[in-house]
Amino acid sequence: MDIKKNDKFVITIEDMSEDGAGIGKLDGYIWFVKDALIGDVIEASAMKMKKNYGFARLVKVLEPAPGRVEAKCPVARACGGCQMQELDYAEQLKFKENKVYNHLKRIGGMEEIPMEPIIGMEDPWRYRNKAQFPIGTGKDGQPIAGFYAGRTHSLIPVPELDCLLGCEENKDLLRVILDFMKEFKISAYDENLHKGLVRHALLRKGFSSNELMVCLVINGNKLPYAEQLVERLLKLPMNVASISLSVNKEKTNVIMGTEIINLYGPGYITDKIGNIEYRISPLSFYQVNPVQTERLYGTAMEFADLSGGETVWDLYCGIGTISSFLAQKAGKVYGVEIIPEAIDDARANAERNGIKNVEFFVGKAEEVLPEQYEKNQVYADVIVVDPPRKGCDSVCLDTILKMAPKKVVYVSCDSSTLARDIKYLCENGYEVKRVRPVDMFPMSGHVETVARLDRK
Ligand code: SAH
C-alpha cells in the first residue's frame, strides 16, 4: 500500500464498526472512517496507519448511502455525543439488530438465534433525562457550555445551548448559569491547569414529575454569590426542585465529587417508571432514557414470566429499579449491588412504594452470591443480571450454574460480553429461548439487549 498520511483516496464503505465508524477496503487494506456510512462512496484522507488497518477522515461524500440523512445538529460530527445522526433512524435500528445478531453468532457460537424485533423509539430525540455539560472558557474569555469532541477533551460549544438529545429546559438552565458566571466573574475550570471553579453542570429532569435538578460541580468548597444563582434559577417558568453543588477538587476525569452541598430543595427529585416512584439524588445511578427504560424493564418482566411465588435474585441492581418491578409479581426478591449509596436509595425506594418482599445486599455479585449460597443455601427460581459492559464475573456465572435456577434473564448493555456469558451458560446446561434488543440510546452506537435462558 502506498498511501501516506494526508493522501486522499476514494473508497466504498461496506461495513460499520462497533461504534458506528464506516469500514472500507482498498487493495486488501482496511480503512476505518468516522462519519462514513455503509453504502457511501467517499473521498477520504489518511490519518493514521497501522500494519493491517488505518484510520481516515471523511472529506466528501461522493455518492451517499441510501440511509444517509442530514444531521439535525450542526456539530453532530465533531461532538463525541452522537455517532449516528447521519443515518436514518430505521437504519440505525437495523444496524443495532445486526450487531446483536452477529455477536451472538460469532462470539456466542449460536446457530439458531430466537431474535425478536428491536424495540425502537417513536420519537428518537430529546429522550435523555440527564445531561452533564462540561463548562469551559470560550475564545472571547467568556464561560461556555459544551461537550467533548470524540476521544479528546477539547470542548465543542453546544449550539444555542440546545442539545437535541436533552430536554428543552436545559437551554434556559444553562443560559442562567452562564450569565450568572459572567456577571459575577466566576471562572470556569481549566483541566490542563487544574484551575478555575465551575467544572460541570449536571441537569436532570423527572419526565413524569417535571421536576428539575441543577447540580454544579465545583473545584472548591463554595460558590460565591450562590444565593443569586438560586434566585435566578427559581425565577424560571419551570419546576426547579433541587439545586446543589458537588465538590470535586481532584485532578481527574471523573465528573462528580462525593461531597454534595445542598443549596435549595430536599436534595433530590422524584420520578416514576411505570407505577413506581423513585427518589433521585445527584449521585444516584438512574437510567437516562425513561421511555425506553419502561420498555426494557417490561421486556425483562415478560421474559422472567413470574407467576407470584418465585424467589428471584436481581444481580447488579443499582437503586433497585428492576427489583421493585419484579417484586410486584414474585414471592421474594433479593438485590445485590456494589455501591452502598445505591443500596441506600434502593431501600428508601422500596419503603416509599410499600414494597416489602425485597431485601438488598451491598457487595460484589461474585462475592455476595457464593457467600449466600454456601452459608445460607439460598435458592433461586429466576436470576436476573444487569451487569456493566464487562459482563458477569466467572465466579458469578459459576454460582448461577450451581444454584441452577429455571430461568436466567440477562439484561446487557454490551452484546459482545452478553454473547460470551451466554456461551458459557449454554455449555453448562442452559438454552437461549428469547432475545430482544432495546434501543435506549438513539443516535449512538450503543444497544441494550434482554435475553432469556432456560435450564434444559
Ligand atoms: N439494574 C440497574 C443498574 C444497572 S447498571 C438499573 O437498571 O438501573 C449496573 C450496576 O452494576 C451499577 O449500578 C454498578 O454499580 C453495579 N456493579 C458493577 N459491578 C458490580 C459487581 N461486581 N457486583 C455488583 N454490582 C456491580
Side-chain angles (χ1 to χ4, degrees):
M1 198 206 43
D2 44 7
I3 292 177
K4 293 180 297 297
K5 193 173 166 176
N6 294 328
D7 279 356
K8 294 202 173 113
F9 56 93
V10 173
I11 190 166
T12 303
I13 302 300
E14 286 159 12
D15 202 353
M16 255 153 111
S17 72
E18 292 296 295
D19 52 3
I23 300 176
K25 258 190 203 166
L26 214 60
D27 302 326
Y29 186 83
I30 296 167
W31 288 101
F32 290 90
V33 192
K34 188 174 115 47
D35 305 315
L37 307 173
I38 297 188
D40 274 344
V41 179
I42 60 160
E43 183 181 38
S45 164
M47 292 192 318
K48 195 166 145 189
M49 280 91 85
K50 303 257 167 141
K51 192 157 174 260
N52 300 313
Y53 62 92
F55 298 93
R57 190 171 56 82
L58 170 60
V59 178
K60 202 166 150 197
V61 178
L62 302 173
E63 284 169 45
R68 180 171 274 285
V69 292
E70 202 173 316
K72 271 201 187 188
C73 170
V75 298
R77 281 190 191 175
C79 175
C82 289
Q83 290 93 49
M84 306 204 127
Q85 265 202 39
E86 293 176 278
L87 187 60
D88 176 62
Y89 187 55
E91 294 295 322
Q92 290 182 25
L93 293 175
K94 262 195 230 161
F95 167 77
K96 293 182 185 191
E97 241 173 21
N98 279 336
K99 173 162 146 175
V100 174
Y101 183 88
N102 288 332
H103 279 154
L104 292 175
K105 196 153 197 136
R106 289 189 201 140
I107 304 171
M110 290 176 67
E111 268 153 33
E112 269 167 50
I113 303 169
M115 281 270 286
E116 297 166 43
I118 187 166
I119 303 177
M121 295 192 81
E122 283 78 50
D123 176 10
W125 301 97
R126 300 213 179 276
Y127 59 81
R128 289 186 65 98
N129 60 11
K130 169 182 164 181
Q132 301 179 107
F133 295 96
I135 305 293
T137 306
K139 290 195 185 82
D140 59 356
Q142 299 299 346
I144 54 167
F147 277 123
Y148 294 127
R151 290 171 212 271
T152 77
H153 266 199
S154 55
L155 207 56
I156 312 270
V158 178
E160 294 174 38
L161 298 178
D162 192 23
C163 167
L164 301 175
L165 300 190
C167 55
E168 310 251 9
E169 289 90 338
N170 289 349
K171 183 177 168 175
D172 294 332
L173 295 170
L174 286 176
R175 174 57 43 225
V176 167
I177 293 167
L178 295 179
D179 285 349
F180 160 80
M181 287 177 65
K182 217 161 144 177
E183 195 174 324
F184 292 92
K185 304 209 163 25
I186 290 169
S187 58
Y189 180 67
D190 181 321
E191 236 181 0
N192 298 320
L193 302 174
H194 191 49
K195 275 203 177 119
L197 190 62
V198 181
R199 299 174 73 130
H200 273 84
L202 162 71
L203 308 179
R204 276 179 150 169
K205 179 181 179 181
F207 274 37
S208 72
S209 64
N210 283 324
E211 291 178 1
L212 293 153
M213 171 191 287
V214 176
C215 177
L216 286 193
V217 185
I218 56 169
N219 171 39
N221 294 320
K222 71 187 270 277
L223 176 70
Y225 309 103
E227 67 291 344
Q228 289 289 330
L229 176 66
V230 171
E231 198 184 307
R232 291 169 186 207
L233 287 170
L234 294 179
K235 269 199 197 132
L236 287 169
M238 54 186 78
N239 184 7
V240 178
S242 163
I243 307 172
S244 60
L245 302 171
S246 162
V247 176
N248 184 356
K249 293 189 280 190
E250 304 296 315
K251 216 172 173 172
T252 167
N253 55 15
V254 174
I255 295 175
M256 301 295 290
T258 46
E259 189 197 337
I260 300 290
I261 301 172
N262 200 35
L263 297 178
Y264 172 80
Y268 57 83
I269 58 169
T270 53
D271 194 26
K272 264 184 161 182
I273 304 175
N275 58 351
I276 299 186
E277 198 176 270
Y278 299 96
R279 219 171 89 165
I280 307 143
S281 6
L283 297 175
S284 310
F285 173 88
Y286 187 62
Q287 296 278 1
V288 300
N289 181 336
V291 170
Q292 294 301 88
T293 297
E294 194 164 343
R295 292 173 171 159
L296 180 77
Y297 293 171
T299 306
M301 279 301 283
E302 189 188 321
F303 283 16
D305 192 22
L306 301 172
S307 55
E310 291 93 340
T311 299
V312 185
W313 282 76
D314 177 20
L315 307 180
Y316 313 87
C317 69
I319 59 167
T321 33
I322 298 182
S323 319
S324 41
F325 261 63
L326 293 163
Q328 299 179 84
K329 285 212 175 157
K332 177 90 193 195
V333 179
Y334 297 96
V336 184
E337 160 64 44
I338 198 169
I339 297 179
E341 289 81 8
I343 290 292
D344 292 343
D345 282 342
R347 290 184 179 132
N349 287 329
E351 193 166 309
R352 194 183 182 90
N353 290 285
I355 299 169
K356 299 213 161 60
N357 54 338
V358 291
E359 194 179 316
F360 293 103
F361 297 90
V362 179
K364 293 184 179 169
E366 60 272 25
E367 289 173 9
V368 172
L369 196 65
E371 194 182 294
Q372 289 300 315
Y373 176 68
E374 263 132 50
K375 258 207 315 229
N376 303 327
Q377 285 81 48
V378 291
Y379 165 87
D381 293 296
V382 180
I383 296 183
V384 178
V385 299
D386 183 6
R389 290 208 190 133
K390 66 175 193 240
C392 292
D393 185 274
S394 62
V395 176
C396 176
L397 291 177
D398 284 331
T399 313
I400 293 175
L401 291 172
K402 280 187 208 156
M403 288 171 75
K406 285 191 252 349
K407 292 174 217 153
V408 175
V409 176
Y410 198 132
V411 182
S412 159
C413 54
D414 184 335
S415 48
S416 63
T417 54
L418 167 73
R420 178 200 68 200
D421 292 348
I422 278 186
K423 182 163 192 258
Y424 188 64
L425 293 172
C426 288
E427 282 163 358
N428 290 283
Y430 282 83
E431 62 187 341
V432 179
K433 285 289 183 186
R434 301 182 71 172
V435 179
R436 186 146 205 196
V438 181
D439 187 24
M440 303 282 281
F441 307 103
M443 312 302 146
S444 87
H446 297 290
V447 60
E448 202 89 4
T449 312
V450 189
R452 165 144 134 233
L453 296 96
D454 285 9
R455 202 179 68 221
K456 273 196 256 188

